[in-house]
Amino acid sequence: MIDVSLDRAFVLPIYYDMLPDLAPDHALFLDMDGTLLDFASTPAEVIVPPGLPALLADLAAQREGAMAILSGRTMADIDGVTGTVLPAGAEHGFLCRDAAGVIHRPITISANRPEWRAALHDAAVRMPGVAIEEKTYTLVAHFRRAPEHGPALRMLIEHFIDGEPDIEILPANMAWEIRPVGAGKGRALDWFMQQAPFRGRVPVFVGDDTTDEAAIDAANARGGFGLHVHRDFDGTTASVRAWLARAVKGVLR
């Protein structure tokens, strides 16, 4: 069980009484960056709060494994945060790992192409502060450290994917992601809800970004709860962790 004394972020604000209670029969889906973790200048610099891996393990056990991480991160990044192998939709659902640990690849087109990869790395050299992240099927240009380069990066990406109807730009938090059309967190949530142990449960999803809106809509459409960090919480990852902690430890005052 988690030791909430390790993490001062597990202190519940009073207004949490207005949020729905997370029940053991819910299927739980969680975004990672901006929801469970505070953003950092680069993905590699995020800090995992004390107690978070144990909290996630408890939440998964409480609902007999019906909990999945839905993130734009790679599967390896997700595992590095959770500390254990959980069901996960990585890279916005391009890779889905079921409860048995089997990886499913619903999309086979790749946007991680050598010429685009080279163009982005060249741009990063010319634009100090820009960082390029390479994933299995996608490429991400991060400009959190240099927001002034965001528009120019967008124009560059639009130029070299012009005429590619199967490729799109996904606006993320201070980043542009180039990805194949067809995947997304909403579709990943729908896919998991057809698999054991998620099937037959009420879905609950928590996210914070444009990339999470489809999963919020998917959870609501299935009669569940799609919650947004800024609309339904107080905009902080600490509040999300506190709400999750209440489900396994009881209300903390």
Side-chain angles (χ1 to χ4, degrees):
M1 297 294 290
I2 62 170
D3 178 1
V4 294
S5 66
L6 295 177
D7 187 0
R8 295 175 63 187
F10 291 146
V11 177
L12 284 168
I14 293 175
Y15 78 87
Y16 267 57
D17 290 336
M18 297 184 292
L19 288 169
D21 287 326
L22 185 59
D25 60 349
H26 285 146
L28 180 59
F29 299 91
L30 298 169
D31 170 50
M32 208 161 66
D33 294 284
T35 299
L36 296 175
L37 306 173
D38 288 328
F39 285 107
S41 296
T42 66
E45 295 176 83
V46 298
I47 296 174
V48 179
L52 179 60
L55 172 60
L56 294 175
D58 281 349
L59 288 164
Q62 186 183 54
R63 45 202 39 81
E64 299 178 332
M67 189 193 80
I69 303 296
L70 302 184
S71 173
R73 296 286 203 111
T74 65
M75 202 68 79
D77 284 345
I78 292 172
D79 293 348
V81 169
T82 63
T84 188
V85 176
L86 297 172
E91 301 185 25
H92 300 291
F94 285 96
L95 297 172
C96 291
R97 181 171 62 206
D98 65 21
V102 177
I103 301 291
H104 301 263
R105 304 170 187 265
I107 303 295
T108 57
I109 300 169
S110 178
N112 186 349
R113 303 182 186 178
E115 63 274 24
W116 297 350
R117 196 162 60 237
L120 287 176
H121 281 294
D122 286 345
V125 172
R126 302 191 305 272
M127 302 176 182
V130 170
I132 307 304
E133 182 182 5
E134 300 180 19
K135 302 180 184 179
T136 307
Y137 295 108
T138 70
L139 294 166
V140 191
H142 295 272
F143 51 90
R144 181 173 298 277
R145 283 180 169 169
E148 69 276 12
H149 293 313
L153 281 169
R154 172 75 185 232
M155 289 180 61
L156 173 64
I157 293 168
E158 288 177 343
H159 172 72
F160 63 67
I161 70 168
D162 184 45
E164 298 279 351
D166 294 330
I167 304 296
E168 64 183 0
I169 301 174
L170 181 70
N173 198 303
M174 302 299 286
W176 307 118
E177 182 152 4
I178 314 167
R179 70 175 194 174
V181 174
K185 293 184 182 180
R187 291 192 179 188
L189 186 148
D190 285 334
W191 182 86
F192 276 108
M193 289 301 295
Q194 299 173 53
Q195 320 297 321
F198 299 87
R199 188 171 51 245
R201 292 172 176 263
V202 175
V204 176
F205 173 79
V206 188
D208 74 298
D209 201 357
T210 304
T211 60
D212 299 312
E213 296 292 353
I216 289 172
D217 291 344
N220 289 332
R222 288 179 171 271
F225 303 98
L227 302 176
H228 192 284
V229 175
H230 299 281
R231 295 194 294 265
D232 300 298
F233 294 84
D234 66 354
T236 68
T237 63
S239 293
V240 177
R241 294 192 299 271
W243 177 73
L244 293 170
R246 179 169 71 175
V248 294
K249 297 293 287 187
V251 178
L252 306 179
R253 296 296 188 190

